[in-house]
Amino acid sequence: MRKKIIIGNWKMNKTSSETKEFLSEVLPLIKKNSNVVFCVPYTSLNVASILLKDTGLNLGAQNMSWEESGAYTGEISASMLKEFDVNHVLLGHSERRQYFGETDATVNTKIKTSLQHNIVPVVCVGESLQDRKAGLAIDVVTNQLRHAFEGVDADKTKDIIVAYEPIWAIGTGVSASASDAQEMLQSVRNAISMIYNLNVADNMQLLYGGSANAANAAELLSQTDIDGLLVGGASLKSQDFAKMIEVIV
Ligand code: PGA
C-alpha cells in the first residue's frame, strides 16, 4: 500500500522571517507525523529546521548540486542540506529546466548524489502544451524518466518519488482534470515498469503537480495512481495547505 504525501514547493517565496511567521501559523493546523514535506528556499532552511524539529513533518530543498564540494559558485551541496535535516529534494523542476539550464543529464547525476546522501529525490517530469497538443505527452515524459534513471539501480528506487507536472498546468490555475492526471500517472507507472519492473512501479510514489489546490485535492488524491500532490501556490496559504493535508490523514 503506497502512502499518500503532500509536498509544498514554495519556489522563490518567503524570507526567513516570513517563514517563521508562516510555519507558526500553519503547524498548529497540521497533525504531527503527517506525510508532508515543506520545500523552502535555502535561506529559510535554518529557521524551518528549528520549527519542524520533533513534528515528524519533513523539510525539503528545491534543488541541489551533483558535486560534493569545490569551485561551484552559487551551488549548494547535499551535505550542506543534511546539516538542516533536509530529507527531500526537488530535482528537475520544469522552472529549473526552463530558466536555469537543467537537463536530463544533470537530473540524472543529481539523483545519484541525493541517494548517496539519503535524501529522497522528487524527480519532476512533464510535457509542454505544445507537446501535449502534438500528442507527445507520454513520449516526452517517458523519455525524461529513462534519462533520469540511467544507471540508477532498482534496489535504490524505493527512495525515489516522481512528480508529474504538466508545464501548462503549473501556476496557471488550470489543473489537469483528475481523469487526465490519472491517465498520465498510469502511463508514468507503466514507463517505470518498463524501465525497471512491475514491483518497482507498484511501490513507487507518484505525484501530480500543477494548480493543485484545496478545491481539487480530494478528487486528484482519490485516483488510483496519484499518491500525492506537489503544490506550489496553494502551499503558501496556510488554510488551503492545511485543508489539502487533511485529505491524506
Ligand atoms: P502550482 O506549482 O501548484 O503553483 O501550479 C506547482 C509546482 O510548480 O510545483
Side-chain angles (χ1 to χ4, degrees):
M1 191 59 186
R2 298 182 300 266
K3 275 198 191 151
K4 303 262 183 197
I5 182 167
I6 304 270
I7 303 184
N9 172 16
W10 289 8
K11 311 193 180 188
M12 196 172 73
N13 291 293
K14 298 197 190 295
T15 62
S16 69
S17 50
E18 287 165 350
T19 299
K20 191 173 177 184
E21 207 175 302
F22 180 81
L23 287 177
S24 312
E25 197 178 293
V26 78
L27 293 183
L29 308 176
I30 303 175
K31 260 210 187 120
K32 278 193 173 187
N33 299 315
S34 305
N35 221 352
V36 173
V37 187
F38 292 90
C39 294
V40 306
Y42 296 133
T43 49
S44 292
L45 288 175
N46 192 15
V47 69
S49 71
I50 294 166
L51 291 168
L52 292 176
K53 205 171 170 55
D54 300 327
T55 62
L57 305 167
N58 301 283
L59 185 56
Q62 300 172 17
N63 185 27
M64 191 197 78
S65 173
W66 64 84
E67 290 290 350
E68 299 294 334
S69 66
Y72 301 100
T73 304
E75 289 294 301
I76 300 278
S77 73
S79 1
M80 293 170 183
L81 297 179
K82 289 293 282 191
E83 226 173 19
F84 296 108
D85 300 324
V86 165
N87 54 16
H88 289 70
V89 65
L90 305 180
L91 295 179
H93 190 282
S94 63
E95 286 150 17
R96 302 267 357 138
R97 295 178 192 255
Q98 192 179 348
Y99 306 126
F100 304 104
E102 190 82 71
T103 64
D104 288 333
T106 56
V107 172
N108 175 254
T109 51
K110 288 178 180 192
I111 291 173
K112 291 172 183 163
T113 304
S114 69
L115 291 171
Q116 274 162 14
H117 288 267
N118 295 318
I119 299 178
V120 174
V122 180
V123 182
C124 304
V125 294
E127 83 285 359
S128 67
L129 189 57
Q130 206 180 1
D131 295 331
R132 171 150 286 254
K133 282 187 173 158
L136 294 173
I138 292 167
D139 290 352
V140 166
V141 168
T142 303
N143 213 24
Q144 287 171 334
L145 290 167
R146 277 196 188 286
H147 286 300
F149 294 140
E150 238 165 59
V152 177
D153 291 344
D155 63 348
K156 295 275 190 322
T157 55
K158 61 179 187 347
D159 299 317
I160 296 177
I161 295 175
V162 168
Y164 163 67
E165 297 203 302
I167 297 169
W168 46 270
I170 295 178
T172 57
V174 183
S175 164
S177 67
S179 59
D180 281 352
Q182 161 58 25
E183 193 184 311
M184 279 305 292
L185 266 301
Q186 191 176 27
S187 303
V188 168
R189 209 175 289 287
N190 287 341
I192 308 272
S193 170
M194 283 188 303
I195 297 168
Y196 291 105
N197 55 55
L198 205 55
N199 188 41
V200 166
D202 272 348
N203 287 312
M204 194 175 282
Q205 278 180 311
L206 304 184
L207 317 188
Y208 167 78
S211 298
N213 58 40
N216 61 23
E219 197 189 358
L220 287 164
L221 285 164
S222 70
Q223 307 298 310
T224 324
D225 287 292
I226 303 184
D227 306 317
L229 301 173
L230 180 53
V231 188
S235 76
L236 299 167
K237 299 177 193 151
S238 55
Q239 299 286 342
D240 289 25
F241 195 55
K243 248 189 228 157
M244 297 175 86
I245 293 164
E246 262 168 39
V247 180
I248 62 161
V249 293

